Amino acid sequence: LLIEQISGSDEFKRDYEKFEEEKASAVEKSALVYQKMRYIVMEKEQKKEQKKEAEKRLYLQDQLKSLKKERFLWKLFDIENDIVKTTEEIAEVKKFKHEAEKKKEEQARYLEDIVQLEKKIIKKSNELDETLVAEHIKLKEEMSLVNSKIEKAENKLFKKREERKRHADDIAMLQTGIKDLTAKMKDLE
């Protein structure tokens, strides 16, 4: 203490201690600032990572939306194709039905011809004489031809009925398909 008084350093002791305190405070503040900077840098990196993750998630969501949209469009395309195909098949069935009706009408005409021929035969057989025998034979030939036509027509009719039955089954199946497609379309809407 004496040396400090003689040298006059005791006057500077207070200043020295004050400066030491200020230095310690500055060092502490500097450490705090450094810590804050490190924390900010870390936070910045973290935010960058979060931003990248968010961008990646958005990109993947867009991809998913795009794929879902594409899948939906393909489903719609398939449904439209099914509807077109079903419509064509229904038109074909209607055509076959129309043909079957025509054949029925044709058969009715043949049956009417037979009735007329039978009437003629009865009439002719009542007035039978030699001149009518030839005509009688001719009528029988005509009847034979008509019978042959009828047989063919009946065969055709039988086939058409079989065909109609198959078409009726097809129509039932197509109607079920249309109901299913309609239900699917409603679900899609």
Side-chain angles (χ1 to χ4, degrees):
L1 277 173
L2 190 60
I3 295 171
E4 287 174 1
Q5 282 177 357
I6 293 169
S7 66
S9 64
D10 64 338
E11 290 174 27
F12 298 109
K13 185 176 179 186
R14 279 190 202 138
D15 288 341
Y16 177 78
E17 283 171 355
K18 184 183 161 196
F19 290 136
E20 274 297 314
E21 280 176 24
E22 284 176 5
K23 178 185 166 191
S25 174
V27 166
E28 195 178 313
K29 280 181 185 174
S30 172
L32 278 171
V33 167
Y34 178 72
Q35 254 186 333
K36 271 186 184 176
M37 276 181 64
R38 274 186 62 201
Y39 176 74
I40 288 167
V41 166
M42 276 172 52
E43 204 172 46
K44 190 177 173 186
E45 288 299 315
Q46 196 176 4
K47 295 288 180 196
K48 269 187 188 176
E49 281 299 312
Q50 285 174 350
K51 186 184 173 192
K52 272 186 190 175
E53 280 294 316
E55 284 172 350
K56 187 178 176 183
R57 192 177 300 121
L58 283 172
Y59 172 76
L60 289 172
Q61 281 174 348
D62 285 346
Q63 289 291 98
L64 182 65
K65 277 181 192 171
S66 175
L67 288 169
K68 278 183 179 177
K69 183 180 175 185
E70 199 174 318
R71 183 170 169 256
F72 178 74
L73 287 172
W74 273 110
K75 274 190 176 179
L76 270 180
F77 178 73
D78 282 345
I79 288 167
E80 282 173 5
N81 278 348
D82 286 347
I83 288 169
V84 167
K85 211 184 283 179
T86 304
T87 307
E88 286 170 1
E89 286 169 355
I90 287 169
E92 206 173 316
V93 167
K94 281 182 182 174
K95 183 182 158 190
F96 281 124
K97 269 187 173 179
H98 182 67
E99 279 179 27
E101 291 297 320
K102 271 183 166 180
K103 293 295 174 194
K104 270 188 182 176
E105 287 169 14
E106 207 175 302
Q107 185 190 22
R109 280 197 303 272
Y110 286 137
L111 288 170
E112 199 177 307
D113 286 351
I114 288 168
V115 168
Q116 292 303 318
L117 286 169
E118 281 175 346
K119 281 180 184 175
K120 277 184 186 179
I121 290 166
I122 290 164
K123 186 181 174 187
K124 294 293 177 188
S125 68
N126 289 340
E127 315 167 342
L128 251 179
D129 62 27
E130 284 184 0
T131 54
L132 295 176
V133 170
E135 200 176 323
H136 180 71
I137 292 166
K138 188 181 170 189
L139 285 171
K140 280 205 171 191
E141 284 173 2
E142 281 179 19
M143 193 172 163
S144 172
L145 273 168
V146 169
N147 281 334
S148 168
K149 283 182 180 179
I150 287 168
E151 202 172 300
K152 285 179 184 173
E154 281 175 346
N155 286 339
K156 277 185 182 177
L157 184 66
F158 177 77
K159 285 179 184 173
K160 288 293 176 185
R161 280 183 179 153
E162 290 295 312
E163 214 170 271
R164 186 208 260 167
K165 189 182 173 210
R166 282 199 308 277
H167 290 310
D169 293 345
D170 288 347
I171 287 168
M173 197 171 79
L174 289 170
Q175 283 172 341
T176 305
I178 288 170
K179 281 179 187 172
D180 291 346
L181 287 172
T182 307
K184 282 182 187 175
M185 281 179 72
K186 280 184 182 173
D187 289 347
L188 286 171
E189 284 170 2

